[in-house]
């Protein structure tokens, strides 16, 4: 079954710029000579290193873990020798301990990477343990540990699972290619999550600019009454989990609530595929598909990349810069992070590397607000961005909080649409940080 044209209120229509890579099959990235694997690449507590300088490691070997309940272990993506532990910046600006490993190029796989048992014999506890040990986290950017997502929803009477294949960020095509090239893995992931909760309904939500993926998955699901592909209008931020739940199920997640509060679990399609690989093959999350794209790169590609490979290594493999680069962004143009170095390692939550040219990156002149109301019209959370931003910029954080600043999902739609080019999202994000830190102290 296929449901069509579903959407949410608000949002913006953006040129999707998918043409750079949408038809390019996933290629395995070149073996990196050295990887920098952050011990903190997830929501929750950082891991402690389980290895030290001069240790030899293999692909899939656990190299970091924590005893905290909210965390996710990390694994080596290469076989080779540990050079040491170094503090480096991750793509989001945090300074994090990284395990530095020199690859021997042999890709020897660790003994622990093997199916744990027959699927039928696995209990729910076994499945949670396998997903945890494999270090599976949300790969759409949120990086929330998957086992915690499942465990914390245990008592929420989950009846619906939605796989997020919207991929609404312009330029990115890693989810698209995963759905086209590994549809069975995506469906198995959906089935596993549905079985875990005994959920009645499973949906795969895909924006209608990916008709080929909609067709492939719809065909694969023929005859499966409890699973459907949902074709969604192409509109940003359709891939935000609350907007997806609204579009697909017509359920409103309460303010500052979670999808589980409306009996729904949302998971990115690549996360579902990684979950399937972990449960069926015992494969930890040590590699992922990354779209390297934009006018500023010579040969845009979709690459299967080992975690810890630097952005610089990926760009080299894509022919390098096309002229003078203006900006290198980890993620998409709406919610990604601008990088100040090419030494940033790829982590589990980075779906793309975007290079904009100098011309494309020119800062636009900020003009006074003309009170056109466009930012209010497009805000998917139904906020009043211009008032929240103005209060935040004048350090009136209590006022900003009263206007529900903390509900802002930092999607960037208001800044995108503003004819005066006001930095609304940045101002609101700054306000949110101040409000959160003030609330922690009180
Ligand atoms: S206020 Fe926040 S949620 Fe609303 S459009 Fe702006 S960035 Fe998005
Ligand atoms: S879109 Fe820009 S100019 Fe229009 S009301 Fe909002 S802040 Fe003001």
């Amino acid at each position: 079954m296929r449901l069509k044209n579903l959407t949410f209120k608000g949002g913006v229509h953006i040129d999707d710029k998918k043409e750079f890579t949408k038809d390019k099959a996933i290629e395995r990235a070149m073996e990196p000579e050295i990887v920098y694997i952050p011990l903190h690449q997830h929501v929750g507590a950082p891991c402690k290193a389980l290895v030290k300088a001069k240790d030899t490691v293999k692909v899939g070997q656990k190299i970091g873990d924590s005893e905290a309940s909210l965390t996710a272990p990390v694994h080596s993506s290469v076989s080779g020798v540990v050079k040491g532990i170094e503090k480096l910046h991750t793509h989001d600006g945090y300074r994090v301990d990284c395990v530095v490993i020199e690859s021997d190029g042999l890709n020897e796989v660790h003994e622990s990477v093997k199916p744990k048992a027959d699927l039928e014999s696995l209990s729910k506890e076994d499945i949670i343990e396998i997903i945890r040990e494999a270090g599976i986290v949300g790969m759409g950017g949120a990086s929330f540990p998957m086992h915690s997502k499942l465990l914390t929803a245990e008592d929420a009477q989950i009846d619906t699972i939605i796989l997020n294949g919207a991929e609404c960020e312009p330029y990115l095509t890693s989810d698209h290619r995963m759905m086209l090239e590994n549809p069975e893995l995506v469906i198995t992931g959906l089935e596993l999550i549905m079985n875990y909760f005994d959920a009645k309904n499973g949906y795969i939500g895909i924006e209608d600019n990916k008709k080929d993926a909609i067709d492939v998955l719809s065909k694969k699901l023929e005859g499966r009454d409890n699973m459907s592909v949902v074709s969604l209008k192409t509109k940003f931020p359709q891939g935000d989990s609350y907007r997806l739940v609204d579009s697909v199920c017509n359920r409103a997640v309460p303010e500052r609530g979670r999808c589980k509060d409306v009996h729904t679990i949302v998971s990115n399609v690549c996360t579902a595929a990684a979950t399937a690989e972990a449960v069926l093959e015992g494969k930890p999350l040590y590699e992922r598909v990354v779209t390297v794209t934009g006018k500023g790169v010579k040969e845009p590609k979709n690459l299967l990349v080992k975690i810890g490979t630097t952005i610089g290594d990926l760009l080299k493999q894509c022919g390098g810069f096309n002229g003078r680069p203006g900006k290198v962004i980890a993620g998409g143009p709406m919610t990604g992070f601008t990088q100040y170095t090419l030494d940033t390692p790829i982590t589990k939550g980075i779906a793309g590397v975007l290079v904009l040219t100098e011309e494309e990156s020119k800062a636009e002149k900020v003009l006074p607000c003309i009170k056109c109301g466009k930012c209010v019209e497009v805000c998917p959370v139904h906020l009043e961005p211009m008032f929240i931003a103005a209060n935040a910029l004048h350090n009136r954080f209590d006022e900003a909080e009263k206007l529900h600043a903390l509900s802002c999902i930092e999607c960037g739609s208001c800044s995108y649409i503003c004819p005066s080019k006001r930095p609304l999202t940045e101002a609101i994000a700054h306000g949110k940080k101040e409000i959160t830190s003030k609330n922690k102290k009180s």
Side-chain angles (χ1 to χ4, degrees):
M1 187 172 56
R2 185 191 296 187
L3 302 166
K4 282 187 184 165
N5 285 332
L6 303 187
T7 194
F8 62 97
K9 195 164 172 293
V12 284
H13 297 278
I14 307 174
D15 180 359
D16 73 13
K17 307 267 190 193
K18 308 273 189 188
E19 65 277 8
F20 290 99
T21 51
K22 72 181 174 57
D23 297 320
K24 297 202 173 164
I26 300 166
E27 286 173 43
R28 184 167 274 288
M30 280 185 314
E31 180 71 16
E33 284 174 20
I34 199 152
V35 287
Y36 303 86
I37 301 181
L39 288 164
H40 196 191
Q41 39 181 317
H42 47 265
V43 171
C47 295
K48 286 202 177 93
L50 302 174
V51 290
K52 56 184 182 325
K54 297 192 183 152
D55 283 355
T56 54
V57 291
K58 294 181 181 171
V59 175
Q61 179 176 339
K62 187 160 79 168
I63 55 171
D65 204 348
S66 160
E67 285 174 6
S69 56
L70 186 60
T71 191
V74 295
H75 302 78
S76 180
S77 55
V78 296
S79 59
V81 178
V82 175
K83 304 305 286 176
I85 314 288
E86 263 182 43
K87 267 206 190 310
L88 289 170
H89 280 112
T90 45
H91 71 291
D92 44 9
Y94 290 100
R95 249 174 102 70
V96 169
D97 281 334
C98 297
V99 181
V100 184
I101 307 170
E102 193 171 71
S103 172
D104 59 14
L106 299 175
N107 275 318
E108 237 182 293
V109 177
H110 193 254
E111 311 68 72
S112 60
V113 182
K114 59 180 182 202
K116 305 298 178 244
D118 285 345
L119 189 54
E120 289 70 36
S121 68
L122 292 173
S123 65
K124 283 177 97 165
E125 291 74 24
D126 294 333
I127 286 180
I128 288 291
E129 181 65 9
I130 291 170
I131 294 173
R132 187 209 175 277
E133 283 301 299
I136 309 295
V137 303
M139 295 166 76
S143 300
F144 193 84
M146 184 66 171
H147 70 282
S148 296
K149 182 185 263 196
L150 302 184
L151 271 178
T152 51
E154 279 275 4
D155 300 326
Q157 287 121 39
I158 299 296
D159 60 15
T160 301
I161 312 297
I162 305 174
L163 290 196
N164 190 350
E167 203 166 44
C168 60
E169 269 277 359
Y171 290 95
L172 305 186
T173 55
S174 49
D175 291 349
H176 183 182
R177 294 309 309 182
M178 176 60 77
M179 291 187 283
L180 273 182
E181 297 181 44
N182 296 293
E184 284 91 1
L185 214 48
V186 171
I187 292 169
T188 305
L190 175 58
E191 205 169 16
L192 275 167
I193 308 170
M194 287 176 72
N195 288 345
Y196 182 85
F197 288 107
D198 206 9
K200 293 193 302 281
N201 313 303
Y203 299 102
I204 306 175
I206 308 174
E207 282 192 342
D208 56 12
N209 59 352
K210 293 178 267 297
K211 292 219 172 352
D212 47 2
I214 291 174
D215 289 343
V216 164
L217 282 160
S218 299
K219 201 157 177 22
K220 294 271 174 205
L221 289 182
E222 269 171 16
R224 315 233 353 205
D225 293 342
N226 58 347
M227 294 184 187
S228 318
V229 170
V230 179
S231 153
L232 303 157
K233 277 194 185 159
T234 299
K235 186 169 68 166
F236 187 85
Q238 183 62 76
D240 172 66
S241 56
Y242 296 9
R243 282 358 95 191
L244 202 54
V245 171
D246 177 11
S247 305
V248 175
C249 312
N250 202 16
R251 295 177 184 176
V253 179
E255 188 177 8
R256 318 262 307 280
R258 309 265 289 274
C259 297
K260 73 181 175 69
D261 300 335
V262 291
H263 318 297
T264 311
I265 289 284
V266 175
S267 180
N268 168 269
V269 285
C270 287
T271 316
T275 302
E277 286 184 311
V279 175
L280 301 183
E281 299 164 24
K283 182 183 171 188
L285 181 46
Y286 58 77
E287 57 187 7
R288 67 153 301 145
V289 181
V290 178
T291 304
V292 184
T293 183
K295 246 193 201 172
V297 65
K298 276 198 182 134
E299 296 166 43
K301 291 179 177 180
N302 292 298
L303 295 172
L304 181 60
V305 178
K306 295 189 165 196
I307 301 295
T309 306
T310 64
I311 286 179
D313 274 357
L314 295 188
L315 289 171
K316 262 188 235 151
Q317 193 176 339
C318 294
F321 292 129
N322 191 17
R324 273 173 72 85
K327 249 187 203 179
V328 176
I329 299 172
M334 297 298 282
T335 58
F337 295 84
T338 302
Q339 302 300 298
Y340 75 95
T341 166
L342 300 182
D343 295 335
T344 310
I346 294 296
T347 45
K348 298 173 186 180
I350 300 181
V353 173
L354 167 63
V355 184
L356 299 177
T357 61
E358 230 174 7
E359 185 60 29
E360 291 171 315
S361 314
K362 274 192 187 142
E364 291 182 275
K365 195 167 174 208
V366 178
L367 297 170
C369 171
I370 56 167
K371 303 194 171 49
C372 65
K374 284 189 176 165
C375 54
V376 181
E377 261 169 51
V378 301
C379 178
V381 189
H382 316 306
L383 302 176
E384 295 173 309
M386 73 289 207
F387 294 135
I388 305 175
N391 279 306
L393 284 174
H394 290 94
N395 296 335
R396 295 191 299 258
F397 302 115
D398 288 342
E399 292 305 309
E401 189 172 8
K402 278 186 208 147
L403 291 166
H404 306 271
L406 290 178
S407 297
C408 167
I409 56 170
E410 297 176 35
C411 67
S413 300
C414 50
S415 303
Y416 175 83
I417 206 75
C418 177
S420 296
K421 300 297 163 206
R422 301 197 61 74
L424 301 167
T425 314
E426 290 85 344
I428 298 170
H430 163 67
K432 281 174 67 182
K433 277 201 188 101
E434 292 292 332
I435 296 165
T436 310
S437 97
K438 177 200 74 180
N439 290 350
K440 266 189 197 150
K441 282 182 204 152
S442 58

